Amino acid sequence: MVDSLEISIMALKMLQNSALTHRSIKVSMIIVLGVMITLGNIAVLLVITSSVAGWSRNSRYFLLSLAAADSAFGLLVMPLNLCVSLLKDHTEGPDALCHVVAFCNASVYSTCMYTLAMISLERYVAVFYPLQYSSLMTRRRTLLLIAFAWCFPPCLLSPISFPGGIIEVHFSTASLVCNPSYSTNVGYSLSLTCVIFFPCSIVMTYANLRVWCAAKRQRLKLRRRGCVLVGRRHVASRVLVPVMAAYFTCWTPCMAAMIYNAVSGSSVPEWIEFVVVWLPTSNGFLNCIFYFWMNRSFRRKFYLVLQRLAMTLCPDLANALGWCSASSTQCVSGILDNNNSVHERSSSVSSTCTLLTLA
């Protein structure tokens, strides 16, 4: 009898140690991902707050909105969930803070999806209606679309923020996230996917597929006329395909797990839940790569911004790197970039990349 009790105690201690080890690994992964997302989007914001060659004003507005939404993953979502995970005791069940954190999580996720759909829609208009672009995508309409992407999700998801309301919220020890209890709110869970995920996915898929097909057809015509080099890479494929692949890879498992949880009433295994819940946040880092770093104008402008920061904060380092002359702070030719001399075009950055493919 005593031996069996000791064995049970030892097994319980091993389980606790294993849970603590898994928890430490998860927290470390979340912190690393948060730092990557934050640094990547801060670099993006430093560049696109000023004009970039080939990027119109509307494009910069949409991309600023996307960078801000992605930054919220690292600056808001991750710190809030880590605080709840590390500082609170969850044996007593959910409280008001957990409801607020779950509301912030869902709002940021939804805003990112809507912003990506708006960017795809703007790209579609720029490519297929270039002559009507200025009248269709006015500054007022652009700001209204951005406002809709930021304001509609909080209004739609507001029931999550009220403790004791129609939406139950729990803290998941598997994913270290405050989430609504989808199994007890099946109708609300399915309505969220029908109002947010599926409409955004349809808009993105249709718009990007049309742009990609148009670019491919035009490229084939120009190739037959000898206007395009055969060995030149297809820029539309290099940008649009990774963007859509990253979007569905990051978001589909999370939505599928949420629907499975709502319909079946049971949760997925621990590590699968952790991966699918935090996978959408990695889309905030991948957006930096596909929408910004793969663009030559952005890389060139980032290099100029980095040089200016180095010359302002550490002129000795800038001189050592050859960015400025040794006798003065006047920069070597090619470093200065006058933003006022950049003529903004009436096409988006994405459509510009696509049209450059056709030239």
Side-chain angles (χ1 to χ4, degrees):
M1 183 72 177
V2 176
D3 292 339
S4 61
L5 182 61
E6 291 179 351
I7 292 174
S8 300
I9 294 175
M10 291 178 60
L12 181 61
K13 288 182 177 179
M14 291 178 63
L15 290 176
Q16 290 177 346
N17 293 333
S18 177
L20 290 175
T21 302
H22 289 180
R23 186 188 188 90
S24 301
I25 295 174
K26 293 175 183 177
V27 170
S28 301
M29 294 173 65
I30 293 172
I31 292 175
V32 170
L33 183 59
V35 171
M36 292 171 58
I37 293 173
T38 303
L39 293 179
N41 284 282
I42 286 177
V44 168
L45 291 172
L46 286 175
V47 176
I48 60 177
T49 48
S50 60
S51 61
V52 180
W55 292 21
S56 68
R57 180 183 60 189
N58 291 340
S59 298
R60 286 172 49 215
Y61 287 158
F62 283 114
L63 295 173
L64 275 171
S65 175
L66 177 63
D70 290 338
S71 300
F73 283 130
L75 298 177
L76 183 65
V77 171
M78 293 181 176
L80 284 177
N81 286 279
L82 287 178
C83 287
V84 175
S85 173
L86 298 175
L87 302 180
K88 292 184 63 62
D89 182 12
H90 304 281
T91 57
E92 299 179 357
D95 56 8
L97 178 59
C98 205
H99 277 268
V100 172
V101 173
F103 169 73
C104 293
N105 295 344
S107 297
V108 173
Y109 281 17
S110 302
T111 298
C112 287
M113 283 191 282
Y114 275 119
T115 304
L116 289 169
M118 299 300 177
I119 292 175
S120 299
L121 181 63
E122 190 256 353
R123 175 192 299 120
Y124 176 84
V125 174
V127 172
F128 288 96
Y129 303 97
L131 299 180
Q132 295 84 16
Y133 179 85
S134 298
S135 59
L136 292 176
M137 297 300 298
T138 61
R139 181 175 181 270
R140 182 173 180 271
R141 289 179 180 176
T142 299
L143 295 179
L144 286 176
L145 288 174
I146 294 174
F148 173 81
W150 281 89
C151 298
F152 179 70
C155 296
L156 180 67
L157 301 168
S158 57
I160 299 178
S161 61
F162 299 110
I166 60 174
I167 305 298
E168 297 181 7
V169 173
H170 72 282
F171 178 81
S172 173
T173 56
S175 59
L176 304 182
V177 169
C178 289
N179 269 334
S181 300
Y182 299 111
S183 59
T184 58
N185 304 281
V186 179
Y188 189 75
S189 305
L190 296 178
S191 63
L192 286 182
T193 57
C194 294
V195 173
I196 298 176
F197 176 71
F198 289 116
C200 293
S201 300
I202 292 172
V203 170
M204 288 187 65
T205 303
Y206 176 79
N208 286 290
L209 186 61
R210 285 290 309 276
V211 171
W212 181 83
C213 291
K216 185 176 180 181
R217 287 195 302 267
Q218 187 67 16
R219 182 178 172 85
L220 291 175
K221 292 180 182 178
L222 294 177
R223 179 180 294 179
R224 285 194 294 267
R225 298 175 183 177
C227 299
V228 177
L229 297 178
V230 177
R232 187 178 178 181
R233 290 182 297 177
H234 193 180
V235 178
S237 299
R238 186 164 57 90
V239 175
L240 299 181
V241 173
V243 164
M244 293 305 302
Y247 172 80
F248 283 109
T249 300
C250 293
W251 290 99
T252 304
C254 181
M255 297 297 109
M258 186 179 73
I259 295 174
Y260 172 81
N261 188 11
V263 174
S264 66
S266 59
S267 59
V268 296
E270 175 185 355
W271 275 99
I272 295 180
E273 179 181 343
F274 175 78
V275 171
V276 300
V277 167
W278 286 102
L279 193 59
T281 59
S282 63
N283 194 222
F285 178 73
L286 295 177
N287 287 334
C288 295
I289 298 175
F290 297 135
Y291 280 100
F292 302 102
W293 296 109
M294 293 180 67
N295 183 272
R296 183 180 300 175
S297 297
F298 175 85
R299 294 196 304 269
R300 185 178 302 167
K301 190 59 179 288
F302 175 75
Y303 182 61
L304 296 173
V305 172
L306 188 64
Q307 288 175 332
R308 289 174 178 172
L309 289 176
M311 288 181 290
T312 302
L313 302 177
C314 189
D316 294 335
L317 177 61
N319 291 332
L321 295 175
W323 290 347
C324 289
S325 61
S327 58
S328 66
T329 58
Q330 182 65 30
C331 294
V332 180
S333 175
I335 294 179
L336 286 177
D337 178 39
N338 186 3
N339 290 330
N340 295 327
S341 65
V342 178
H343 178 69
E344 290 190 346
R345 301 171 188 174
S346 61
S347 60
S348 68
V349 58
S350 303
S351 62
T352 301
C353 294
T354 305
L355 294 176
L356 285 176
T357 308
L358 312 181

